[in-house]
Structure formats: C-alpha cells, structure tokens
Amino acid sequence: MEQPNEYETERATTSQREWLAEYDVDIGGGLKNQHLSILKGQDIHEVQSAIFTELRNTYPRSGRLEVTITRLEPITTHTEINNFDLNSTYTS
C-alpha cells in the first residue's frame, strides 16, 4: 500500500518538518546560481520565510534578486525499499 504524500496531509501534524527547496537565483550580468536546501517549517509559509532569510544571508549586498523556485516539497520519511539497489545507487 502506498503511503500518502506528506504535502497532501500537511494539516495532519502541527510539528515542524523538513522541506526540500531547490531554486535558481539570477544575480544579474547573466550569472545564475542554483541552490538546494533542506529547511524546517510547519507549513509552506514558514519555509518561504526561511528561503528569504537564506537569501538575505547569502546575498547581503544585492538589492534585487530574481528567484525561481523549481522544487519545494516536504521530505517524506517513507522510503520505498524497491528504489534501492544495494549493489549500486538510489534510483527513482
């Protein structure tokens, strides 16, 4: 039986969870940085605030940043054992 996606059952718990945030930052001049972060938050609004804090800490002197979030989802604790090949790597 497949476990429910934690994003779908977001209101089922009130504790903080870990979220995977993947985003690109265009800092001007044709330069683009990719970020992959694990952030803590109870809901998507807290995670958005954590991303803003991370951006302020990473780019303290930048006045304007163009940010594109490519992935934002809670990290599930239910891992399918079939996705692991013990002789090589994880596949999804």
Side-chain angles (χ1 to χ4, degrees), residues 10 12 15 21 36-37 41 45 51 55 60 69 71 78-82 87-89:
E10 181 178 329
S15 64
L36 181 64
S37 300
H45 300 291
I51 291 172
L55 288 167
I69 296 175
R71 188 175 183 186
H78 306 291
T79 305
E80 292 292 326
I81 193 68
N82 296 334
N87 296 321
S88 76
T89 60

Side-chain angles (χ1 to χ4, degrees), residues 73-90:
E73 62 186 46
I75 297 173
T76 62
T77 57
H78 306 291
T79 305
E80 292 292 326
I81 193 68
N82 296 334
N83 290 339
F84 285 92
D85 177 2
L86 298 178
N87 296 321
S88 76
T89 60
Y90 177 81

Side-chain angles (χ1 to χ4, degrees), residues 12-82:
T13 181
T14 58
S15 64
Q16 283 198 337
R17 66 181 84 201
E18 292 181 328
W19 293 70
L20 177 68
E22 183 177 0
Y23 56 94
D24 299 326
V25 179
D26 184 352
I27 57 176
L31 298 174
K32 192 179 257 191
N33 294 332
Q34 294 180 322
H35 294 264
L36 181 64
S37 300
I38 296 177
L39 304 168
K40 290 192 179 200
Q42 181 177 341
D43 57 21
I44 204 159
H45 300 291
E46 287 185 8
V47 176
Q48 183 180 20
S49 178
I51 291 172
F52 289 147
T53 300
E54 187 172 284
L55 288 167
R56 278 188 226 104
N57 291 336
T58 306
Y59 304 98
R61 294 185 178 97
S62 296
R64 178 170 167 75
L65 298 173
E66 184 97 15
V67 179
T68 305
I69 296 175
T70 55
R71 188 175 183 186
L72 182 59
E73 62 186 46
I75 297 173
T76 62
T77 57
H78 306 291
T79 305
E80 292 292 326
I81 193 68
N82 296 334

